[in-house]
Amino acid sequence: MILSTAFLSGLLALAAAAPAAALRGDSSPRQIYQRVGPGVVLLLCVSKDGAGEMGTGSIIDAEGHVLTNAHVVLQASTGKPYPVLHAYLKPAKLTGNPKIDLVDPISAKVVAWDRELDLALLKLEETPSRYKIVPLGDAAAVESGDPVVAIGHPEQGGLWTLTQGVVSTVIANLGGVEGKDVFQTDASINRGNSGGPLLDGRGAMIGVNTSMARKAKDGLTITSVNFALKSDVVKSWLAKNGQNVSAAVPAEAPAEEKPAAPARPQPEPIISAEPPATEPPAAAGKGPQSPSVSNSVRTVPAELPIPQASEGSLAPLPETAQPQILTPVKPFKAEDLIEKEISEMEDLEKEMQGEIDKRRSQFQ
């Protein structure tokens, strides 16, 4: 059969117009959420007086190690981990009711942290019966314009929320911290997303959601400027703790979107690094750091005090807006957390209904 030149030209045009995601074999946001979502946990951290924080984390190996932000699990008053850390796994089916969705918490402990990079590594004290691993991806292969999704628990939003966007650009030494290299993304990130994964089109974690910019110095509102610590920085930091994670990519989800669980790697046990003999470098909130300053790793046995970052913010970026810590310290009673989340969602629902009623009356 002889194909006409016009027909061949049409085929070439269709191929050129095919979505880039399809050409790369990327998954849909729904497939990524179904495959990786069960590896994302909600973290509830409580002090002895009942105050604490809520954030997000990712299970990164079969031994139950969880990656998150340091500012989620460290008390601002002491610089040490909260005495009570609980991780909640995503239910098989979300109901939208926190009283039903947040059940059977698993206790966890912090095994290593770095206040400068804003990273922390937790260990679940028991192996959950159901979970998935969030694989670390290859940050070097990521370019501006690549699609990404984030999973977390934004303030006044729902639990295990998925948002999507693209990689906007890359920024080196965020807040003047040497080695704190990040992706900027327009994927929606808010307080409560702290420590959660930024995932590429195949469901691999290419970043840890860390901070956001919301207002310029002159008060002008800023939108869609969010930051995630690059996965290659994370892997380098983990290696210092005896944990080497390959740039594994999860298998593609089947067409019916009921993917099989990914293979569970068996990494070497984590070895907590000894605290450095010298004082650690100044916190990110103290301003730009000298290139010679190393990013020291703090572990639970360390007794040396940890310098505190300024509450609620990081050091300003050169000629840009000041990014904000996603999960600032907010006093609350642990037993009231679920009630608080329900109340906030009910308030939003009433506000939305009021707006609907108002618009309806205008057209009657």
Side-chain angles (χ1 to χ4, degrees):
M1 181 175 65
I2 300 176
L3 300 178
S4 69
T5 302
F7 182 76
L8 290 174
S9 299
L11 288 179
L12 291 174
L14 287 174
L23 295 177
R24 289 194 305 270
D26 287 355
S27 301
S28 69
R30 179 178 179 179
Q31 289 174 318
I32 294 172
Y33 187 78
Q34 290 179 332
R35 188 163 65 250
V36 183
V40 179
V41 299
L42 181 148
L43 295 174
L44 177 61
C45 313
V46 185
S47 64
K48 293 180 180 179
D49 61 2
E53 293 200 20
M54 187 178 74
T56 308
S58 301
I59 299 175
I60 60 171
D61 63 24
E63 295 181 356
H65 289 102
V66 174
L67 182 69
T68 188
N69 283 150
H71 77 261
V72 170
V73 298
L74 300 183
Q75 299 181 75
S77 59
T78 66
K80 295 183 179 180
Y82 283 96
V84 177
L85 297 174
H86 285 157
Y88 291 84
L89 295 176
K90 179 181 177 296
K93 181 70 173 180
L94 283 168
T95 68
N97 184 345
K99 287 185 176 180
I100 299 175
D101 295 336
L102 297 181
V103 295
D104 302 326
I106 300 175
S107 295
K109 62 179 180 180
V110 181
V111 295
W113 72 82
D114 188 321
R115 194 63 181 258
E116 290 263 278
L117 292 179
D118 200 9
L119 285 173
L121 192 65
L122 283 61
K123 176 69 167 64
L124 299 179
E125 295 188 353
E126 61 181 85
T127 303
S129 59
R130 50 171 183 79
Y131 71 99
K132 290 188 178 180
I133 294 170
V134 182
L136 283 171
D138 182 9
V142 179
E143 297 182 359
S144 296
D146 283 352
V148 288
V149 299
I151 301 176
H153 319 285
E155 185 179 49
Q156 296 193 26
L159 304 177
W160 283 276
T161 296
L162 179 142
T163 54
Q164 62 179 319
V166 298
V167 171
S168 304
T169 189
V170 296
I171 298 175
N173 305 326
L174 181 70
V177 178
E178 185 73 16
K180 191 172 185 178
D181 301 336
V182 302
F183 288 118
Q184 180 184 320
T185 176
D186 67 349
S188 180
I189 293 173
N190 293 282
R191 293 184 298 192
N193 282 100
S194 285
L198 185 71
L199 305 160
D200 67 11
R202 292 179 291 175
M205 178 165 50
I206 57 155
V208 177
N209 297 321
T210 298
S211 57
M212 61 187 181
R214 287 297 178 264
K215 283 190 177 182
K217 293 181 179 180
D218 60 359
L220 181 68
T221 299
I222 295 174
T223 61
S224 302
V225 179
N226 310 294
F227 307 102
L229 193 66
K230 295 170 67 173
S231 59
D232 56 354
V233 177
V234 173
K235 284 185 280 188
S236 176
W237 179 76
L238 288 173
K240 295 178 182 179
N241 293 280
Q243 172 70 46
N244 293 299
V245 181
S246 63
V249 175
E252 295 298 323
E256 64 273 16
E257 298 189 347
K258 293 183 179 179
R264 297 176 180 175
Q266 298 296 328
E268 294 296 324
I270 288 182
I271 302 174
S272 296
E274 291 298 323
T278 59
E279 282 293 317
K286 301 299 183 181
Q289 303 298 316
S290 167
S292 63
V293 175
S294 62
N295 291 315
S296 59
V297 177
R298 286 296 186 176
T299 59
V300 173
E303 297 298 331
L304 294 177
I306 298 178
Q308 304 298 307
S310 56
E311 183 175 351
S313 64
L314 298 175
L317 294 173
E319 300 180 0
T320 64
Q322 180 176 344
Q324 299 178 349
I325 289 294
L326 300 185
T327 311
V329 176
K330 286 190 168 184
F332 65 85
K333 295 295 182 181
E335 60 270 21
D336 294 335
L337 174 65
I338 294 178
E339 291 292 344
K340 174 177 177 291
E341 292 294 321
I342 292 175
S343 175
E344 289 178 346
M345 284 189 281
E346 288 177 346
D347 289 343
L348 286 176
E349 183 177 354
K350 290 178 181 177
E351 182 179 337
M352 291 173 63
Q353 186 61 49
E355 185 64 24
I356 292 173
D357 293 341
K358 178 181 177 181
R359 291 181 179 274
R360 183 179 297 160
S361 64
Q362 292 175 348
F363 292 97
Q364 290 179 346

